[in-house]
Amino acid sequence: MHILAFLIRRAVQALVVMFVISIIGFSIQDNLGDPLRELVGQSVSEAEREALRDELGLNDPFLVQYARFLGNAVQGDLGTSYFFKRPAIDVILDKFPATFELVLGAVFIFVSVSIPAGIYCAIHRDSWLTRIIMTGSIVGISIPVFLTAIFMVWLFGVELGWLPAFGRGDTVTLPWGWDTGFLTWDGISHLILPSITLSSIMLPLFIRLIRAEMLEAMGTDYVRFARAKGLSTWRVRYVHAFRNTLLPVVTVGGLMIGTLIAYTILTETVFQWPGMGFLFLEAVNRVDTPLIIAYIIVVGLIFVVVNTLVDFIYTLINPMVKLPGAKG
Amino acid sequence: MAMLEVQDLHVAFPRGKRDEVEALRGVNLHLEKGERLGVVGESGAGKSMLAFAILNLIADPGRVSGGRVMFHGENLLDLSERGIRGIRGNRISMIFQDPMVTLNPVLTIGTQMIETLKAHRKISDAEARKLCIERLKQVAIPSAESRMDAYPHELSGGLRQRVVIAIALLTDPELIIADEPTTALDVTIQAEIMALILKLCRENDVALILITHDLGVVAEVTERIMIMYAGLCVEEGRTQDIINAPRHPYTAGLLKALPQKAGRGQRLYQIPGSMPPITALPPGCAYNPRCEFAADRCRATIPPLAGGVACFHPLQEEEAAS
């Protein structure tokens, strides 16, 4: 029952957040330049342009335009892309699988690397490998992601020619219309470089975070007590110490997923990855206002959903946090 | 042969790249089956260090740098990691100081109890659970069954320490090392917990090493006392003898400092000065800067432990009484 209360509460909060995002997203449209210039050619006369503006509702007062937008949005209509001449939401959702799989690949890489590396560095504090990892992570934090991306393209794509550095490769369309690159070797090989690049923004931070949290946990009394109980080293490390490092890691990880989505714009552009981020940058160049706004709304929604999910997971793994609204 | 015989135990911590400082500087201790020993001293005297060194649990970067811990004739310090794990929590259990931080906050009481049993016995989950509930009842925890599924934060400090005691007793150990088991608790609960530990040790014929800075508690619970100062044992003997007639000036000072010794409205006594840190020990007897009897000899050589006291000028009975 309390899970339902939690969900309702979060749904209301999410609505408020989405409302604010929609206002902000919508209000930037006047500052992006003239969509008409992109929409029609040079030869169209000023009178025709004005007529088209009227038709598109661009001459209406802001509030009228916003109310119209909101009314449509509630029904799932986020406007029609000027460039694609299709509903903006459809255009974005077509690109969603590519971005989703890129983020998934990045999360997979950084989880499977940062956890073992962080734990290793905490347990073998003074080994040479720890020093290499820790030094490397400082370097990693300091390098901007577009530089990593260009370096990856240059080294593995161009110089060594090991991996493709352009596009998504062969994809398979699943029955419900989802294009996946996971099912072909070509798709996976195309995913590797962009995923590594995208994960590189979180990886160094996470290795350091996990190491620090693990070190702290290893020094606590409950870990000492677990050792004094005669438990195996494995159990002391992973059941007693590591479980406690999960709490801060999940919290920071949840916040970082937002950052990850933001960086897909850069990564996708460098690797010409046909995802939402790449689409967004194209839309900005084309002043495709409905598409830009739709992107902001969709990404905002993803943020809200992910954060709610993280909060929910947090309550599951931390017995000291009860879901708000639960009794006791 | 004594059950436990600690011989010339040294514990050292690194200082800088090459140098080390000693937190324990050669401690001896012996304990018979079922015997209760109090280890008394100020914070930093090395009491806890001694407790952890017995189970070879000194935390990095410290290390046991010398000596032996003979348990039934076997040196625990020579055992393999697997070997010593078979002793820890099985034949020698520990009770820690602060029950608020001894239990893992993300695991249920049941998990933390059952894992202990499973580490040492071949036992089914159901049987283990039954035994755990039985032990929780023994330490007077109300509604023991439901507590098994509770998390530590759902229990009060006193209850948590009872859980820790129940865990210590799970495997029917021969020895329990209790490191200030009541210091972190409410005053009202301290006596209850101490009485519980004493009762359980007596009933199950478990030996006890009680580490504390409270001479009053030690007098009630233990049969023998060891007084520690700056990493060394300065006096040891039967509890009654030491309480009635301390021979080391430090012991005498501690006894004089007990609040109940001062009359109503009188100023409480305190030993002048404070214990030097192990990084800056004076030459000779570590107590000499605070000792009213200190002579040149005390400032030059460390007095050996002889006849139960490590002092060149032990107090005579009449002096101690004054």
Side-chain angles (χ1 to χ4, degrees), chain B residues 112-170:
Chain B
Q112 299 190 53
M113 294 187 83
I114 291 169
E115 68 178 1
T116 315
L117 268 175
K118 290 214 143 189
H120 302 294
R121 305 254 190 289
K122 280 202 168 14
I123 188 170
S124 73
D125 279 347
E127 264 180 284
R129 195 180 164 87
K130 219 179 99 195
L131 190 61
C132 291
I133 292 172
E134 199 177 295
R135 284 288 191 267
L136 286 179
K137 283 178 178 161
Q138 262 183 28
V139 297
I141 288 188
S143 49
E145 286 91 349
S146 62
R147 301 288 187 195
M148 288 288 284
D149 302 316
Y151 286 94
H153 72 274
E154 295 170 294
L155 271 58
S156 69
L159 278 186
R160 281 191 225 186
Q161 195 64 309
R162 282 172 196 268
V163 170
V164 172
I165 294 168
I167 292 175
L169 283 168
L170 266 178

Side-chain angles (χ1 to χ4, degrees), chain B residues 31-302:
Chain B
L31 197 70
E32 300 297 332
K33 198 171 181 313
E35 194 183 16
R36 292 185 300 277
L37 170 75
V39 176
V40 182
E42 288 170 69
S43 308
K47 299 166 298 183
S48 300
M49 212 53 76
L50 173 63
F52 286 111
I54 289 174
L55 282 172
N56 205 357
L57 270 175
I58 297 293
D60 255 4
R63 65 186 186 99
V64 175
S65 52
R68 300 197 294 176
V69 177
M70 305 303 286
F71 184 61
H72 292 293
E74 188 181 26
N75 187 357
L76 297 185
L77 301 176
D78 284 345
L79 289 180
S80 64
E81 176 64 22
R82 183 175 283 274
I84 187 76
R85 280 213 304 268
I87 305 281
R88 289 177 192 153
N90 187 21
R91 297 171 70 189
I92 303 178
S93 296
M94 282 193 77
I95 298 173
F96 282 24
Q97 179 169 353
D98 187 351
M100 306 310 258
V101 293
T102 309
L103 296 170
N104 194 319
V106 301
L107 301 175
T108 61
I109 304 295
T111 307
Q112 299 190 53
M113 294 187 83
I114 291 169
E115 68 178 1
T116 315
L117 268 175
K118 290 214 143 189
H120 302 294
R121 305 254 190 289
K122 280 202 168 14
I123 188 170
S124 73
D125 279 347
E127 264 180 284
R129 195 180 164 87
K130 219 179 99 195
L131 190 61
C132 291
I133 292 172
E134 199 177 295
R135 284 288 191 267
L136 286 179
K137 283 178 178 161
Q138 262 183 28
V139 297
I141 288 188
S143 49
E145 286 91 349
S146 62
R147 301 288 187 195
M148 288 288 284
D149 302 316
Y151 286 94
H153 72 274
E154 295 170 294
L155 271 58
S156 69
L159 278 186
R160 281 191 225 186
Q161 195 64 309
R162 282 172 196 268
V163 170
V164 172
I165 294 168
I167 292 175
L169 283 168
L170 266 178
T171 51
D172 299 307
E174 294 161 67
L175 166 63
I176 290 178
I177 302 173
D179 185 7
E180 311 229 13
T182 57
T183 310
L185 300 174
D186 277 359
V187 179
T188 45
I189 301 166
Q190 286 183 355
E192 271 176 42
I193 295 288
M194 214 52 246
L196 179 73
I197 292 174
L198 179 61
K199 172 174 158 267
L200 291 168
C201 283
R202 275 199 181 130
E203 280 174 4
N204 301 302
D205 199 25
V206 181
L208 177 71
I209 296 179
L210 176 66
I211 291 166
T212 176
H213 54 250
D214 190 341
L215 264 174
V217 170
V218 165
E220 288 166 33
V221 175
T222 64
E223 292 149 341
R224 277 196 307 120
I225 293 185
M226 188 174 130
I227 309 279
M228 288 191 68
Y229 191 81
L232 277 176
C233 168
V234 294
E235 182 165 10
E236 59 134 6
R238 287 180 48 217
T239 303
Q240 280 314 308
D241 295 348
I242 287 182
I243 299 288
N244 293 333
R247 297 177 55 214
H248 198 284
Y250 178 60
T251 317
L254 281 182
L255 281 165
K256 220 171 147 186
L258 283 176
Q260 49 267 48
K261 288 274 160 132
R264 204 183 158 76
Q266 251 183 310
R267 204 169 251 290
L268 297 176
Y269 174 78
Q270 65 182 75
I271 306 176
S274 60
M275 192 173 70
I278 53 166
T279 49
L281 292 179
C285 175
Y287 186 60
N288 80 64
R290 303 169 76 181
C291 181
E292 51 180 314
F293 308 104
D296 288 345
R297 196 178 168 203
C298 303
R299 293 182 194 101
T301 15
I302 299 174

Side-chain angles (χ1 to χ4, degrees), chain A residues 82-101:
Chain A
Y82 295 149
F83 179 78
F84 293 95
K85 313 277 194 272
R86 285 173 58 209
I89 184 80
D90 290 356
V91 176
I92 286 175
L93 289 184
D94 280 352
K95 303 288 183 186
F96 179 74
T99 298
F100 182 81
E101 290 186 356

Side-chain angles (χ1 to χ4, degrees), chain A residues 2-328:
Chain A
H2 57 266
I3 287 177
L4 194 65
F6 170 78
L7 288 179
I8 290 171
R9 236 176 121 111
R10 290 309 299 246
V12 172
Q13 285 173 4
L15 276 179
V16 174
V17 172
M18 289 311 297
F19 180 69
V20 173
I21 290 175
S22 75
I23 293 180
I24 295 170
F26 192 76
S27 59
I28 63 173
Q29 71 162 352
D30 288 337
N31 306 313
L32 287 173
D34 185 6
L36 267 292
R37 205 178 53 211
E38 298 294 323
L39 205 55
V40 297
Q42 296 282 336
S43 56
V44 179
S45 73
E46 188 53 42
E48 281 172 300
R49 283 169 194 257
E50 201 51 40
L52 195 55
R53 278 207 184 88
D54 269 339
E55 196 187 318
L56 289 170
L58 293 177
N59 287 333
D60 294 338
F62 176 78
L63 276 180
V64 174
Q65 286 192 49
Y66 178 66
R68 190 164 55 221
F69 167 78
L70 202 60
N72 291 336
V74 170
Q75 296 162 34
D77 175 10
L78 292 176
T80 304
S81 161
Y82 295 149
F83 179 78
F84 293 95
K85 313 277 194 272
R86 285 173 58 209
I89 184 80
D90 290 356
V91 176
I92 286 175
L93 289 184
D94 280 352
K95 303 288 183 186
F96 179 74
T99 298
F100 182 81
E101 290 186 356
L102 175 61
V103 171
L104 211 63
V107 169
F108 173 78
I109 288 173
F110 95 79
V111 167
S112 56
V113 173
S114 68
I115 290 178
I119 291 176
Y120 177 87
C121 291
I123 290 170
H124 306 279
R125 254 184 302 182
D126 296 320
S127 86
W128 57 269
L129 186 56
T130 298
R131 282 185 203 152
I132 290 175
I133 295 174
M134 296 312 284
T135 313
S137 69
I138 289 189
V139 176
I141 286 177
S142 331
I143 297 180
V145 69
F146 65 88
L147 211 62
T148 318
I150 291 169
F151 176 75
M152 295 287 243
V153 171
W154 172 76
L155 182 66
F156 295 105
V158 180
E159 286 295 312
L160 297 169
W162 288 354
L163 289 164
F166 180 90
R168 251 190 116 186
D170 294 339
T171 56
V172 175
T173 308
L174 297 176
W176 57 91
W178 180 287
D179 281 336
T180 180
F182 287 153
L183 295 178
T184 61
W185 167 241
D186 192 49
I188 290 174
S189 67
H190 276 82
L191 187 64
I192 295 176
L193 288 184
S195 302
I196 293 176
T197 304
L198 189 55
S199 70
S200 72
I201 29 165
M202 289 168 93
L203 197 56
L205 180 81
F206 260 73
I207 292 175
R208 298 187 84 86
L209 176 72
I210 290 171
R211 173 182 172 272
E213 292 295 331
M214 189 73 182
L215 270 181
E216 195 189 318
M218 294 293 280
T220 57
D221 267 20
Y222 56 77
V223 163
R224 227 175 189 206
F225 187 61
R227 294 184 68 201
K229 290 196 299 189
L231 304 183
S232 67
T233 313
W234 187 90
R235 207 175 158 85
V236 171
R237 277 182 193 164
Y238 300 105
V239 176
H240 281 266
F242 183 63
R243 271 194 72 142
N244 278 279
T245 69
L246 279 179
L247 302 178
V249 170
V250 167
T251 311
V252 178
L255 294 173
M256 288 295 289
I257 284 182
T259 318
L260 208 57
I261 294 171
Y263 277 102
T264 57
I265 297 177
L266 285 172
T267 311
E268 288 180 1
T269 304
V270 175
F271 288 96
Q272 298 286 297
W273 187 263
M276 287 157 51
F278 188 36
L279 178 77
F280 176 71
L281 216 63
E282 284 180 327
V284 171
N285 284 333
R286 294 174 185 140
V287 201
D288 194 344
T289 324
L291 201 53
I292 293 171
I293 296 171
Y295 175 84
I296 291 170
I297 304 264
V298 168
V299 168
L301 188 67
I302 295 174
F303 256 88
V304 170
V305 169
V306 165
N307 276 318
T308 309
L309 222 57
V310 167
D311 279 3
F312 189 64
I313 293 172
Y314 192 78
T315 58
L316 288 185
I317 58 174
N318 186 0
M320 277 184 277
V321 176
K322 279 274 190 318
L323 293 175
K327 63 178 163 64

